[in-house]
Amino acid sequence: MRTVRIPEDWPATEEQARAVQDELRERVILDEPGPPPGTGHVTGVDVAYDDERDVVAAAAVVLDGASLDVVAEATAVGRVSFPYVPGLLAFRELPTVLAALDALPCPPGLVVCDGYGLAHPRRFGLASHLGVLTGLPTIGVAKSPFTFAYDDPDTPRGSTSALLAGSEEVGRALRTRDGVKPVFVSVGHRVTLANACAHTLALTPEYRLPETTRRADALCRTALRETYSA
């Protein structure tokens, strides 16, 4: 497990953070298809917080895209690097997430974030931010639609509907289990929306949430507990 320091040049104010978003948003690549679903490595990242101690733990879990077996995993723990501000949550998490990814012994391939990419008020959520900083293909798979509107997809697994900001499609509601509440998929970086949905279906053979998210969630919670159990 790595212990992470907040970078010296990390934004300290909302104004600084929004300026970083404005600068980096221009670097998001939307015209690459991304890796084929069911191939290569697929990595889930997630975080867990200890609010009383102002600490965040991040986990990165690499799965084989075909078998969904765990290939590698890594964790990092650090101080929360930014106050809680809706729309700027990536600044709270990214230093530890980047450290966990950096600690992996193998290339992560596609990275799946428990959150948003373009489905973000400023069109630059965690998945987009992480993708631009690392150059990796990234997608966001969220549990809720955030502030966006959608029609309920049809009942069968694989059904989708547009996730809308006005008339703009910023992602899709995707049914990963028959009759179960959908997840909300958005592009992060270097992946198309159709391919992001296909990856999400490949990662949900049994449960509503992707295996990447389920495994990273469990690992970061364990890392947080173990940090203070000794």
Side-chain angles (χ1 to χ4, degrees):
M1 181 188 301
R2 298 184 60 180
T3 302
V4 182
R5 294 183 180 273
I6 300 173
E8 292 185 2
D9 59 349
W10 201 246
T13 67
E14 294 181 35
E15 182 180 9
Q16 291 172 349
R18 291 192 178 98
V20 170
Q21 286 182 330
D22 290 340
E23 176 188 355
L24 296 183
R25 184 172 54 241
E26 302 302 318
R27 305 183 195 177
V28 173
I29 295 172
L30 301 176
D31 59 356
E32 291 186 12
T39 65
H41 288 167
V42 186
T43 296
V45 294
D46 202 2
V47 300
Y49 289 97
D50 184 326
D51 293 324
E52 292 184 359
R53 295 183 173 92
D54 201 33
V55 166
V56 59
V61 180
V62 185
L63 304 184
D64 177 87
S67 66
L68 302 186
D69 291 335
V70 175
V71 175
E73 56 187 34
T75 58
V77 175
R79 293 291 176 187
V80 175
S81 51
F82 198 81
Y84 174 82
V85 180
L88 299 177
L89 299 186
F91 292 95
R92 291 168 61 82
E93 304 176 0
L94 273 170
T96 48
V97 169
L98 290 168
L101 283 171
D102 188 57
L104 290 171
C106 60
L110 175 81
V111 179
V112 181
C113 298
D114 178 23
Y116 308 92
L118 294 184
H120 180 272
R122 299 171 64 80
R123 305 298 181 268
F124 197 69
L126 173 65
S128 298
H129 202 151
L130 181 63
V132 169
L133 291 182
T134 62
L136 296 167
T138 56
I139 66 173
V141 182
K143 303 178 186 74
S144 73
F146 200 18
T147 60
F148 302 108
Y150 72 100
D151 292 327
D152 205 36
D154 290 339
T155 300
R157 166 179 159 85
S159 300
T160 65
S161 63
L163 190 63
L164 297 171
S167 61
E168 178 188 1
E169 185 179 40
V170 295
R172 285 182 192 155
L174 171 65
R175 192 87 69 187
T176 55
R177 307 298 301 159
D178 290 353
V180 172
K181 182 180 177 181
V183 296
F184 301 91
V185 181
S186 58
V187 170
H189 184 60
R190 299 182 57 202
V191 183
T192 63
L193 183 53
N195 207 15
C197 289
H199 274 287
T200 303
L201 284 174
L203 292 166
T204 51
E206 296 184 57
Y207 300 99
R208 174 185 174 235
L209 296 179
E211 287 300 301
T212 41
T213 298
R214 285 165 35 79
R215 293 175 184 269
D217 174 76
L219 183 60
C220 67
R221 292 175 187 275
T222 298
L224 193 61
R225 287 196 303 271
E226 291 179 348
T227 299
Y228 300 106
S229 62

